[in-house]
């Protein structure tokens, strides 16, 4: 799975491309978990993810938990309505800060 | 240490030896053969144990005449320290039956009446006089049956347990309102608490939700101390308890599908394929039982995860569906219990906490090296159920061992009833196993004792087991029923007086909902009528059209020894119906496009 990563001004921008489901979630998870370091600030931009299955949701939760254990911070940006809705229905939404744009996520990071 | 030279009040449970009119005193012998002399005081009084929703029958005027030798009763009074010893003066006596040889709870419908009262209490507590709507359900219910105004939590397990209660109450009474409570609760669980993981093709159940007006917040993983941030096996197990009991009545194939997908969760993620048994917790994110994130719960197995499948849903699922898959899982469950839980070289209690490789875990959280009396009794009870299906000598031997050891250690021969949690081993210079926290007696542990000894007597025939069952049931029915507010108390003190503090004051909580007290009513009536007093039992079902496989309704009330019960009569919507199998206890349902009520009459047969 393609995952674009750039470090800009102390914030790591991670942008997966394509669906995150049972097939792609393990690779996505592996690529991203290594980027979560102590005190890292991460913007996970999901604008190029159209669909996320329960395995994908679990991967994102795992990233959140890893970040929390390392005092890092993760913000989700540009999440489409379908994914937002399934995160809400499953109760996962409460764990995250969601931002409508990259600019907003940078502001959120302080 | 100073001698006990002060007066105190306590309870004595025992059998009348004789009444001496001259000194207005009687002698009573405890179950373990110790004798006490009881003097009547000027204000001593007595009553005959009454059922819920039924008036108390005082018998103070007749009590002296009721003291026929051999009669069992409880007497609460004061031990006055005088003359270098104690004189015991009765405050009140409680008789478990109106006649000398009678135990009220052995009547043909005692437990039917009790479950009706329980179901009415919880329907009123949860929904008032309004329509049954689980939006209004709350886990917490006060002792009076009211809901606290600031509590919004709905826990999956507590709903499921209450659904079990309503479904069981319907089976025993045929009251449609109880079935409505069960079916609406089952639907609510499916709509609000169920998570279908299509990647893994499994179902798991949320811990619960918080409801505030129309807004609901899902609680993904357990928030309770022992299980924090994990999916405990027992929550998933108990999530099935209510729906599966409802399935026995309705045959709703959607429930069966949920159960199968939840069992796929157990088999896919909780099961230890290499060393056997089910892990107690999995990581809610990775679904891995060995995840570091589980902390103390990493790679552990315990009674709840290994054995609780059977009573909570698996036996009922097997009874309702007849599917061999569940029969095999049951057998494997009990084989695992019989293999790993006996620990009699080390302790009279079973070993119920393990590491992954089945080595004993003596350090787990508050449980340490402690034994839960109710778990020991529950194992004996369920081994004997399984014995009806697979009469393996190791099942019988293990159940008998528990029955031999527990009364003297976890039971209370002085006052009756069963204690709670104890240290599994004696400390230096100790002769009695220490209470881990207190000497109170919880309602659910009484249930285990009553059912264990009823079925032990019913299946194996030993009269001693019936004696213990009666004493246990008498303690429960004399002291646990809340005749003022309804339903049953969570805990009583060792002497039977209700303990009404903290969460133990509640009738609904994370720990108490509507499961054990209802299950007790159901199975105590089943075992009593069909295995002991040999009276018929009526049950009710309401199958959905084409719900059950091949349109066959299975009405066996529990796993009982082959040939011990037969299906005598069937009515469909009140009319006699003849298409049924007496021995298999199955009903070939009529082809119909509407739901019908099926009433069955079960009759004991075979040896008394």
């Amino acid at each position: 799975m393609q995952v674009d990563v750039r470090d800009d001004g102390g914030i790591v921008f991670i942008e997966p491309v394509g669906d995150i489901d049972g097939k792609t979630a393990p690779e996505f998870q592996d690529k991203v978990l290594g980027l979560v370091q102590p005190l890292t600030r991460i913007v996970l931009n999901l604008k190029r993810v159209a669909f996320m299955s329960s395995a994908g949701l679990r991967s994102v939760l795992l990233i959140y938990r890893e970040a929390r254990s390392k005092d890092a911070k993760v913000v989700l940006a540009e999440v489409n309505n379908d994914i937002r809705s399934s995160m809400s229905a499953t109760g996962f939404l409460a764990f995250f800060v969601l931002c409508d744009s990259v600019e907003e996520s940078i502001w959120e990071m302080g | 240490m100073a001698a006990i030279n002060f007066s105190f009040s306590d309870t004595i449970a025992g059998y009348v030896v004789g009444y001496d009119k001259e000194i207005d005193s009687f002698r009573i012998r405890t179950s373990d053969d110790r004798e006490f002399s009881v003097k009547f005081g000027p204000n001593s009084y007595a009553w005959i144990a009454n059922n819920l929703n039924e008036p108390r029958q005082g018998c103070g005027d007749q009590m002296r005449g009721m003291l026929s030798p051999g009669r069992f009763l409880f007497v609460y009074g004061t031990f006055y320290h005088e003359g270098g010893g104690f004189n015991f003066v009765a405050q009140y006596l409680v008789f478990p039956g109106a006649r000398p040889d009678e135990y009220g709870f052995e009547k043909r419908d005692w437990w039917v009446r009790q479950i009706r009262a329980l179901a009415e209490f919880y329907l009123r507590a949860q929904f008032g006089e309004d329509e049954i709507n689980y939006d209004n359900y709350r886990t917490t219910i006060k002792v009076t049956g009211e809901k606290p105004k600031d509590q919004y939590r709905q826990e999956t397990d507590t709903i499921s347990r209450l659904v079990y209660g309503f479904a069981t109450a319907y089976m025993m009474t045929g009251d449609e309102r109880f079935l409505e409570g069960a079916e609406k609760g089952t639907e609510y669980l499916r709509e609000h608490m169920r998570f279908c993981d299509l990647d893994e093709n499994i179902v798991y159940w949320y811990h619960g939700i918080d409801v505030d007006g129309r807004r609901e917040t899902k609680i993904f993983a357990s928030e309770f101390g022992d299980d924090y941030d994990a999916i405990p096996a027992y929550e998933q197990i108990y999530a099935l308890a209510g729906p599966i009991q409802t399935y026995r009545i309705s045959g709703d194939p959607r429930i069966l599908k949920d159960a199968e997908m939840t069992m796929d969760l157990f088999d896919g993620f909780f099961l230890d394929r290499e060393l056997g048994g089910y892990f107690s917790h999995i990581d809610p994110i990775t679904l891995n039982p060995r995840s570091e994130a589980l902390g103390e719960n990493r790679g552990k197995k315990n009674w709840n995860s290994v054995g609780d499948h059977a009573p909570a849903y698996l036996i009922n699922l097997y009874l309702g569906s007849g599917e061999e898959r569940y029969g095999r899982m049951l057998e494997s469950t009990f084989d695992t219990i019989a293999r790993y839980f006996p620990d009699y070289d080390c302790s009279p209690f079973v070993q119920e906490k393990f590491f992954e490789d089945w080595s004993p875990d003596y350090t787990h959280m508050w449980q340490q090296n402690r034994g839960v009396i109710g778990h020991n009794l529950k194992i004996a009870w369920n081994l004997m159920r399984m014995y009806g299906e697979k009469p393996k000598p190791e099942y019988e031997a293990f159940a008998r061992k528990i029955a031999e050891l527990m009364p003297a250690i976890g039971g209370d021969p002085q006052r009756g009833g069963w204690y709670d949690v104890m240290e599994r081993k004696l400390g230096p210079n100790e002769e009695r196993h220490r209470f881990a926290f207190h000497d109170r007696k919880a309602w659910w542990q009484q249930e285990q004792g009553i059912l264990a000894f009823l079925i032990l007597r019913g299946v194996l025939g030993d009269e001693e087991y019936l004696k213990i069952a009666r004493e246990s049931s008498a303690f429960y029915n004399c002291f646990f029923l809340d005749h003022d507010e309804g339903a049953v108390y969570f805990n009583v003190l060792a002497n039977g007086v209700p303990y009404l503090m903290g969460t133990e004051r509640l009738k609904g909580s994370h720990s108490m909902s509507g499961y054990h007290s209802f299950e007790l009513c159901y199975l105590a009536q089943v075992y009593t009528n069909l295995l002991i007093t040999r009276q018929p039992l009526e049950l009710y079902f309401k199958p959905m059209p084409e719900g059950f496989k091949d349109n066959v309704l299975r009405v066996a009330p529990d796993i009982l020894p082959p040939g011990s019960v037969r299906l005598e009569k069937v009515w469909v919507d009140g009319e006699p119906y003849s298409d049924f199998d007496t021995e298999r206890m199955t009903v070939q349902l009529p082809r119909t496009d509407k739901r019908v009520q099926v009433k069955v009459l079960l009759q004991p047969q075979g040896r008394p």
Side-chain angles (χ1 to χ4, degrees), chain B residues 478-492:
Chain B
C478 288
F479 297 122
F480 273 87
L481 311 189
D482 182 349
H483 296 292
D484 296 315
E485 307 290 358
V488 300
Y489 297 116
F490 188 114
N491 262 351
V492 299

Side-chain angles (χ1 to χ4, degrees), chain A residues 1 19-30 51 53-56 59, chain B residues 199-200:
Chain A
M1 178 184 201
D19 294 347
I20 307 179
D21 55 22
K23 281 186 190 160
T24 58
E27 190 186 344
F28 165 70
Q29 199 173 290
D30 286 348
F51 170 76
S53 73
S54 42
S59 294
Chain B
D199 287 307
E200 304 289 352

Side-chain angles (χ1 to χ4, degrees), chain A residues 22 53-55 58 61-62 65 68 89-92, chain B residues 195 197-200 206 218 220 229 283 285-286 293:
Chain A
S53 73
S54 42
R58 280 204 300 272
L61 266 183
L62 193 62
R65 188 165 73 186
R68 196 179 57 173
T90 52
F92 293 174
Chain B
F195 183 94
D197 187 325
L198 298 176
D199 287 307
E200 304 289 352
Y206 289 105
K218 302 254 197 262
F220 182 53
D229 210 7
D283 182 325
I285 300 173
T286 62

Side-chain angles (χ1 to χ4, degrees), chain B residues 85 103 131-132 204 288 330 370 440 465 474 485 491 512 531 533 544-545 555 568:
Chain B
Y103 292 89
E131 186 193 355
I132 296 171
Y204 55 87
N288 183 354
L330 274 173
R370 290 168 180 153
R440 300 194 282 274
Y465 295 148
E485 307 290 358
N491 262 351
M512 183 186 220
L531 299 179
T533 58
M544 298 171 72
V555 301
E568 185 81 8

